């Protein structure tokens, strides 16, 4: 590691912290969300310099991109809802659990019928392996957790937009 | 670990801890639910930095990258679900004030 590289890292770390402080101190929520994206970009550059390009790409695309979109959507969607819409949502509460038995049956069938081979076949020390090897062999169990978490996120996004569908249905009924 | 690497590691840890303090300040002083989420997000940024520096210094960057990717996946899911909860809360209370979340009825 050269001295210049070290100084550049420290400069980027300072910018990273400055962007974080700006995010916290700014009064407008939209500017705060943009500040968060800038913090992510600084972290991405640091990750690239620390020879972690894949993590950098994930940070840039997911954290600086997707999460900023989620925040801006949340800020724009926070508007009042009418009482009639709340009652309509309560009436439909039980309908959400219709597919639960089917999903439980499918999950049980996959878990019992198909062996998942979760044992660790890699005996190579982790510092000598590539990221692909670590993810697919040494940390295979993490991938299953990630898949489950992504599914949870899908349901989170459905929750994010579910009332909008209710409003659209109401508008259709009024017509 | 060489001297330069040791210095870089120490400085990175200091910056990460400062970022955690900044995020904690944001979470503790803010009453707006979206701003609390932003504080949580900043805290995970600090953790990402710590993981990356740890991997870089120890020479286990592949393992560190796999942990970072896992962290990012968890982070985005938490934010998506929390954003949904914030919107639902807002539609029930017409407010984003965290102090008004004292009723668990319904």
């Amino acid at each position: 590691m050269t001295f210049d590289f070290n100084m550049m890292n420290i400069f980027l770390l300072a910018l990273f912290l400055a962007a974080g402080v700006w995010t916290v101190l700014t009064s407008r929520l939209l500017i705060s969300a943009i500040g968060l994206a800038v913090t992510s970009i600084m972290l991405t550059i640091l990750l690239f310099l620390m020879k972690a390009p894949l993590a950098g790409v994930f940070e840039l695309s997911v954290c600086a991109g997707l999460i900023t979109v989620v925040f801006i959507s949340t800020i724009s969607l926070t508007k009042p809802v009418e009482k009639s819409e709340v009652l309509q949502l309560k009436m439909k509460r039980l309908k959400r659990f219709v597919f639960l038995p089917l999903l439980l049956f499918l999950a049980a069938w996959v878990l019992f019928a198909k062996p998942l081979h979760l044992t660790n076949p890699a005996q190579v020390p982790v510092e000598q392996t590539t990221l692909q090897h670590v993810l697919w062999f040494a940390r295979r169990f993490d991938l299953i957790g990630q898949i489950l978490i992504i599914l949870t996120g899908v349901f989170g996004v459905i929750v994010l937009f579910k009332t909008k569908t209710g409003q659209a249905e109401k508008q259709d009924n009024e017509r | 670990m060489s001297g330069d690497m040791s210095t870089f590691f120490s400085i990175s840890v200091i910056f990460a801890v400062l970022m955690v303090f900044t995020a904690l300040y944001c979470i503790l002083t803010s009453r707006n639910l979206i701003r609390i989420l932003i504080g949580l997000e900043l805290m995970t940024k600090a953790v990402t930095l710590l993981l990356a520096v740890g991997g870089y210094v120890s020479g286990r960057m592949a393992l560190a990258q796999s942990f970072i990717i896992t962290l990012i996946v968890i982070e985005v899911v938490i934010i998506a679900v929390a954003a949904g909860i914030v919107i639902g809360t807002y539609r029930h209370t017409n407010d984003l004030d965290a102090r008004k979340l004292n009723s668990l009825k319904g």
Side-chain angles (χ1 to χ4, degrees):
Chain A
M1 181 191 290
T2 62
F3 182 72
D4 289 335
F5 176 64
N6 215 341
M7 284 304 291
M8 193 162 67
N9 268 299
I10 292 164
F11 178 66
L12 283 169
L13 283 168
L15 281 179
F16 170 69
L17 184 64
V21 171
W22 180 54
T23 304
V24 170
L25 293 182
T26 187
S27 58
R28 291 183 61 192
L29 277 174
L30 204 60
I31 305 287
S32 200
I34 292 165
L36 191 66
V38 173
T39 314
S40 281
I41 291 166
M42 292 301 151
L43 186 58
T44 302
I45 298 169
L46 278 165
L47 288 172
F48 271 106
L49 287 175
M50 282 190 272
K51 294 167 188 171
L54 277 171
V57 166
F58 264 79
E59 179 72 29
L60 188 64
S61 58
V62 176
C63 295
L66 181 63
I67 288 181
T68 307
V69 170
V70 169
F71 271 119
I72 290 171
S73 303
T74 309
I75 292 164
S76 63
L77 279 172
T78 43
K79 54 185 179 184
V81 67
E82 293 172 14
K83 284 183 180 178
S84 58
E85 288 169 357
V86 175
L87 287 171
Q88 196 180 13
L89 285 171
K90 281 180 182 174
M91 292 295 287
K92 291 178 179 176
R93 194 171 183 172
L94 285 175
K95 289 181 182 175
R96 281 177 283 180
F97 298 99
V98 168
F99 295 106
L100 184 64
L102 181 65
L103 284 173
L104 284 177
F105 176 77
L106 279 174
W109 179 76
V110 168
L111 287 171
F112 284 108
K114 300 285 283 181
L116 295 174
H117 301 296
L118 292 175
T119 52
N120 183 9
Q123 300 301 323
V124 184
V126 285
E127 60 267 26
Q128 295 173 10
T129 56
T130 60
L131 172 64
Q132 288 81 0
H133 193 273
V134 170
L135 268 180
W136 288 109
F137 295 105
R139 308 289 307 177
R140 186 183 285 179
F141 196 72
D142 288 358
L143 283 179
I144 293 170
Q146 284 190 38
I147 291 165
L148 292 174
I149 288 166
I150 288 168
L151 285 174
T152 313
V154 170
F155 285 113
V157 173
I158 290 169
V159 168
L160 188 65
F161 292 104
K162 69 173 183 179
T163 312
K164 196 175 179 182
T165 311
Q167 283 173 344
E169 282 178 6
K170 189 190 170 192
Q171 283 171 357
D172 289 340
N173 290 336
E174 283 174 356
R175 283 171 195 168
Chain B
M1 197 189 300
S2 67
D4 275 349
M5 192 76 90
S6 176
T7 309
F8 173 61
F9 179 70
S10 307
I11 291 170
S12 300
V13 170
I14 289 167
F15 272 103
V17 170
L18 287 175
M19 182 62 95
V20 169
F21 278 138
T22 308
L24 264 179
Y25 174 83
C26 180
I27 290 171
L28 290 174
T29 58
S30 302
R31 285 157 188 162
N32 189 303
L33 288 170
I34 296 174
R35 201 171 282 279
I36 290 171
L37 280 186
I38 287 173
L40 194 72
E41 185 72 13
L42 281 177
M43 208 177 276
T44 56
K45 298 268 175 281
V47 176
T48 306
L49 177 67
L50 280 178
L51 282 172
V53 170
Y56 183 64
V57 168
S58 64
R60 298 182 176 192
M61 209 62 229
L63 187 64
Q65 282 193 85
S66 72
F67 283 137
I68 289 168
I69 290 167
T70 309
L71 174 68
I72 288 170
V73 169
I74 293 169
E75 179 185 339
V76 74
V77 167
I78 285 174
I79 293 301
V81 174
I85 292 169
V86 167
I87 289 172
T89 305
Y90 186 79
R91 285 180 176 168
H92 278 286
T93 63
N94 285 333
D95 207 340
L96 286 174
D97 197 336
R99 290 173 300 179
K100 294 190 177 178
L101 295 176
N102 53 6
S103 173
L104 292 176
K105 287 190 288 184

